[in-house]
């Protein structure tokens, strides 16, 4: 199991470094479906996996200047309070939510939405970018508030399911900042915002008791070299190849969880 866990960590880490997507979107379902881990423990373990993996990947992207720190701060205005509120709710209702299958259902729905949005991120961004005149001025005025609201949505989903920082986060950022973020800065910004969210969420889940430390160690053994490799490959593999393949995988996994 340790070898399989390490291999899974390497593959997911590579995808995270390459696209900014795939951490929670792939790791939590793998832990639930392949390793038979309880959903709440899978989420808590995956949040620590995501935090440590994305610290490494984020460091690489930061050194390559692939991040917009102003946007990261705006997202954190909404996401960090949302993480705290979601952890408080889980500490009171977590067992009920898990026994009723709510975590798995929310995870499955989030994956399906992520899969459907992923191939159309650029088209959605272009549609939002076509606004002119007064609409553009109003959008720019509300942009910080809308970014914080997007952060609140992501913080809630990440803490509850460990999914949202990648596919959904990238889609929201493209709609909010269609011209400001190119592909590399989109990935870097998305990854760096996910670090404090996953870290705080992971600490909260650890306090609640939702973490499997031996499994986490095996996953990280593969993910750290994987995320470094993926970050280095960002300029070499075309997005038109990686994105559709990832969308198909997310859709299959999401539907499998909803069965």
């Amino acid at each position: 199991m340790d070898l399989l866990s390490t291999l899974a960590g390497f593959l997911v880490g590579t995808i995270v470094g390459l696209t900014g997507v795939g951490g929670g979107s792939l790791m939590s379902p793998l832990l639930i479906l392949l390793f038979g881990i309880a959903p709440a423990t899978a989420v808590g373990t995956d949040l620590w996996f995501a935090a440590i993996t994305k610290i490494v990947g984020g460091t690489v992207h930061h050194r390559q200047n692939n991040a917009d720190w102003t946007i990261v701060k705006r997202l954190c205005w909404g996401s960090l309070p949302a993480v705290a509120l979601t952890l408080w709710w889980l500490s009171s209702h977590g067992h009920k939510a898990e026994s009723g299958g709510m975590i798995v259902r929310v995870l499955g729905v989030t994956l399906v939405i992520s899969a459907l949005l992923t191939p159309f991120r650029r088209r959605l961004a272009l549609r939002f970018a076509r606004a002119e005149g007064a609409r553009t001025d109003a959008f720019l005025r509300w942009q910080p508030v809308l970014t914080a609201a997007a952060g609140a949505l992501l913080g809630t989903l990440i803490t509850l399911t460990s999914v949202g920082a990648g596919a959904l986060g990238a889609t929201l950022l493209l709609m909010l900042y269609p011209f400001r973020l190119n592909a590399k800065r989109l990935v870097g910004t998305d990854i760096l915002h996910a670090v404090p969210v996953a870290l705080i969420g992971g600490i909260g889940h650890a306090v609640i008791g939702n973490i499997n430390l031996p499994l986490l160690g095996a996953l990280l053994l593969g993910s750290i070299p994987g995320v470094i490799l993926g970050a280095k490959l960002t300029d070499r593999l075309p997005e038109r190849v990686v994105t559709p393949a990832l969308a198909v995988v997310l859709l299959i996994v999401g539907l499998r969880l909803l069965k």
Side-chain angles (χ1 to χ4, degrees):
M1 179 174 172
D2 287 344
L3 182 60
L4 185 60
S5 302
T6 301
L7 178 59
F10 177 79
L11 293 174
V12 173
T14 303
I15 294 172
V16 170
L18 181 62
T19 68
V21 179
S25 301
L26 294 178
M27 186 53 70
S28 284
L30 279 176
L31 294 178
I32 295 169
L33 297 174
L34 185 60
F35 298 109
I37 303 298
T41 303
V43 171
T45 302
D46 183 42
L47 282 171
W48 277 102
F49 167 81
I52 297 171
T53 300
K54 290 189 176 185
I55 285 172
V56 178
T59 300
V60 176
H61 280 287
H62 174 62
R63 288 176 178 172
Q64 296 173 346
N65 198 30
N66 292 341
D68 190 315
W69 284 100
T70 298
I71 297 175
V72 172
K73 291 176 184 176
R74 290 176 178 178
L75 288 168
C76 286
W77 290 345
S79 63
L80 299 187
V83 170
L85 287 172
T86 306
L87 285 171
W88 170 80
W89 184 85
L90 282 172
S91 68
S92 304
H93 302 87
H95 294 296
K96 187 176 179 181
E98 184 171 11
S99 62
M102 192 196 81
I103 293 176
V104 172
R105 287 197 299 273
V106 174
L107 178 57
V109 170
T110 306
L111 287 178
V112 171
I113 293 173
S114 299
L116 295 177
L117 289 177
T118 295
F120 304 105
R121 290 186 308 194
R122 290 292 173 186
R123 292 184 187 178
L124 289 169
L126 288 174
R127 177 161 294 191
F128 271 69
R130 286 174 186 157
E132 297 178 356
R135 288 178 62 193
T136 301
D137 293 337
F139 177 74
L140 290 176
R141 282 197 304 272
W142 284 94
Q143 201 174 47
V145 176
L146 292 172
T147 306
L153 173 63
L154 294 173
T156 302
L157 287 174
I158 292 168
T159 308
L160 186 61
T161 69
S162 76
V163 177
L168 287 178
T171 302
L172 290 171
L173 286 177
L174 272 177
M175 290 190 292
L176 289 167
Y177 301 93
F179 298 118
R180 183 164 169 169
L181 296 173
N182 58 28
K184 289 185 290 186
R185 287 178 72 80
L186 174 69
V187 172
T189 301
D190 196 28
I191 287 178
L192 284 165
H193 166 248
V195 171
V197 175
L199 189 58
I200 294 172
I203 291 171
H205 274 275
V207 171
I208 297 171
N210 298 334
I211 186 170
N212 184 323
L213 288 175
L215 177 60
L216 175 62
L219 293 172
L220 289 173
L221 190 62
S223 73
I224 291 176
V227 75
I228 293 173
L229 175 63
K232 294 292 186 182
L233 290 175
T234 302
D235 295 328
R236 301 189 181 184
L237 292 181
E239 188 177 359
R240 66 178 181 273
V241 174
V242 176
T243 300
L246 181 60
V248 170
V249 173
L250 294 180
L251 181 61
I252 292 172
V253 175
L255 292 174
R256 174 69 180 83
L257 287 170
L258 290 173
K259 284 184 177 180

